[in-house]
Amino acid sequence: MQALHTKLWRDLRKLWAQVLTIAVVVAIGVAGFVGMFSVHASLQAARDHFYRDNRMADVFIRIQRAPLAWQSRLQALPGVADLQLNVVHDAQLALPGAQAPVTGRFIGLDLVRLHAHRQGINALTLRSGRWPEPGRALEAVVNERFAQARHLRPGDRVQAILNGQRQTVHLVGTVITPEYVLASRGGAPDDKGFGVWWIDQERMAQVFDMQGAFNQAAFRVQNSADKAQVTAQLITQVDALLAPYGTRGAMRQDQQISARIVNNELSQMQVMGTVLPAIFLAVSVFILNGVIARQVATQRQPMAALKALGYPDRRIAGHYMGLALAIAGLGLLMGLLLSQWIGRSMLGLYGEVFRLARLDYATSPWLVAAAVALVLAAATAGTWRAIQALVRLRPAVAMQAPAPERYRPSLIERLGLGRHVSASAWMAIRDVERRPWRALFTVTGIALAVALQISGAFWRDAIDHIVDVQYRQVLRGDVVVNFQQALAPSVRQDLLRLPGVVHAEVQRSEAVRLYAGSRQAEGVLLGLAPGARLMRVIDGPSGPVSLPEHGLVLSALLADQLGVQQGESIEVEFLMGRQHRARIQVMAIVHTLIGQQAFMDLQALHRLAREGAGVNEASLQVDPLAMPAFWQAVKQAPVIVSVLDKASSLAGFQETTSRNMGVFSSVLTLFAVAMAVGMVYNAARISLSERAWELASLRVLGMTRAEVSVLLLAPLTAELLLALPLGALCGWALASWLMQLMSSDNIDFPVVIARSTYAWAALIVLAAGLVSALLVRRQIDRLDLVAVLKVRE
């Protein structure tokens, strides 16, 4: 069987350009699959090790204030392996060289246990500097991401307003902890605007008047076969015990804000590692089918001769299967090598984001085995039908020329429009119409390339839409301030006296639990003043919403979770302050982008809460020229505990997303170009090999190279143009599917794709098709007319 082996290598050398383009498509699919899943597995393993080594809590709960005497009772609850009670408060910080204040979360740290190397739950890992020491100076360590974002180093000093008193905090070190892998106050992580600081536990209790009390508890659950059930029971018992002290409810580890963000990132990576490689492997099936089918068609007679000489069918089938597997194997090898580069590069980017203690890239054997199995399946699926047709032919039949296809008048001829079409156009139309399946495969493959490009670029449009809605329509003020405690609405007049404040609106935000029958959900109830224009409720489809004087307006996410419709009544339980329930009617449901929120008229909320007309936050419009004086005054205001500077928050959000989306979009663009080139080039090469005798004859009859090229490339041009609108539709469908797969209970992003995104996707794929056409045109120009026109008897 040495002859078949020799022939295999000759075929590979002869088809080297097609082999390479197919292998690149396969390689991208393999690299995406292996690389993305390897990064996912590496991050997941690093996260699990970090959580385990630093004793990440299984249950968290925040309360207003509870006595430390409850510690023994909480520790005695069934399933509790360890318990940590702490004091946590947010405060305003004035950083060196920063004009606007930022928010710091201060957490008590048991220095005695720390220096005895007996850290408890949510242990800290020191990254630079040293640990705080008890003494007169207020020393602290801060989370590493915030320190690097704000260029803080051990030895720096910052000013903080702790419980209304200005304190100098001495930074002595930076740390990482599983509780704040990504630090956030409830929305997206904000490394520049929000930092976590740990100070002496005794000093913390003294400064915030929390001696003998705590406002945060963390639990470790005993390991057991039914740990999930024990955790659920523990949450129920903790909620029942601490409810009188004002709490939003206990939460599992995966519901904690930092863990939830990390889990969402890992889930999205898993989705991308599944969907995109599947597209490339499917396209490789199309291309392989065309190449192998053409090889079989052009080699019928030699194969028939081999069958007549005694070569068994399985040997001949194995020869063509070997050709397909050689191409796929080259793509597999290239893909595995490319996956190492892609995976390590992505892991480096994620390592900068997550800051886990140990982060090592590794590709598991099962992942390689799965990639091999997928590639083999794709190669077999792409070639089996063509090989099967050859094997079934008897040698005497196979040695004859293929019977000409039975043609019928085309659709244009049947419509009587033939006289309006030139001869060259006729040839192109007939070529497409008489090979419909091949045309369909080509159009589908090119359309998928367009869709891939759109699915990578539409994220920019989605981000622009989020920025427009959240920062320009919802949050129209320049600054949002939060107060240390509820204040009278007259505080608005005090805010108007601050330098540069043009307009001020007060708001009230309450943590609530909503009940609808057997369903319940936790959310935030926001009360806005009538006619508010600095903080508004925006419904995605219809725009700004005016709040009714009575009743409740729910976000669509919250309404879906509760299963309620407009006009129905639900119960609202206030979790802080005077805890009580009240029944209220749902007056409207709005599609907000982020968060499980409910909205009410401010006066109606005062009446419903039964705690007087207190407000706890305000939106401000500030004269840009007066910003330095305004910030200086805010830093002196003890009642302001935290500040949101819209300009700074927007700049940080755009900087982070533009970097991440830029890399992601660029990679997908390159992949889409590779797919388009692979489809168009292989389709053109197959068509050239089939029509070489015809084209050479036309050249002998006097047609120019350009005219002959038009005859060959016109059908491909038509297929390319047909693929563009189909690709746009597929791109929208793929983007919608990806958004649905990546959706969560806290995000309701619509699929927004700008016209420019469709246009750029089309132009990029057209450019890839043009390059492929030029490469094939060179092959047409190099046709050996004498060799092509030789006819074997």
Side-chain angles (χ1 to χ4, degrees), residues 702-717:
M703 293 187 72
T704 64
R705 292 175 179 174
E707 291 171 332
V708 169
S709 299
V710 169
L711 292 177
L712 179 68
L713 297 178
L716 289 174
T717 303

Side-chain angles (χ1 to χ4, degrees), residues 597-665:
Q597 295 177 301
F599 308 93
M600 287 187 70
D601 176 84
L602 183 58
Q603 296 301 322
L605 178 55
H606 291 332
R607 293 191 296 269
L608 190 70
R610 301 177 189 174
E611 283 190 315
V615 295
N616 52 19
E617 61 182 57
S619 298
L620 309 176
Q621 183 180 358
V622 184
D623 183 355
L625 298 178
M627 272 295 185
F630 168 77
W631 288 128
Q632 192 62 34
V634 169
K635 293 176 183 178
Q636 306 298 324
V639 297
I640 297 177
V641 68
S642 64
V643 175
L644 172 64
D645 176 18
K646 186 176 78 170
S648 176
S649 176
L650 176 58
F653 178 77
Q654 290 180 322
E655 178 184 355
T656 302
T657 55
S658 62
R659 182 180 67 249
N660 295 340
M661 290 298 101
V663 173
F664 181 69
S665 181

Side-chain angles (χ1 to χ4, degrees), residues 285-300 320 323-324 382-387 389-390 438 441 686 689-690:
V285 170
F286 292 161
I287 304 177
L288 272 174
N289 179 75
V291 170
I292 300 301
R294 181 54 198 156
Q295 282 296 101
V296 169
T298 57
Q299 297 178 0
R300 282 165 51 100
Y320 287 105
L323 177 62
T383 58
W384 179 247
R385 184 177 178 183
I387 295 173
L390 175 64
R438 179 181 299 174
F441 288 159
I686 292 170
S689 64
E690 289 178 338

Side-chain angles (χ1 to χ4, degrees), residues 421-477:
V421 181
S422 65
S424 299
W426 265 123
M427 297 181 72
I429 292 170
R430 287 169 177 165
D431 185 69
V432 173
E433 190 169 324
R434 290 168 180 172
R435 295 181 175 88
W437 288 110
R438 179 181 299 174
L440 178 62
F441 288 159
T442 304
V443 169
T444 302
I446 299 173
L448 288 175
V450 177
L452 188 69
Q453 170 64 21
I454 292 172
S455 69
F458 95 98
W459 296 102
R460 294 179 181 270
D461 301 329
I463 295 300
D464 290 341
H465 178 72
I466 294 169
V467 168
D468 179 66
V469 173
Q470 293 299 120
Y471 287 94
R472 298 189 181 97
Q473 298 185 47
V474 174
L475 183 58
R476 302 181 73 193

Side-chain angles (χ1 to χ4, degrees), residues 231 237 269 341 344-345 368 443 460 513 619 661 699 702:
T231 301
Q237 293 174 316
M269 189 183 306
W341 177 77
R344 293 182 187 278
S345 300
V368 176
V443 169
R460 294 179 181 270
R513 185 177 292 119
S619 298
M661 290 298 101
R699 287 278 290 114

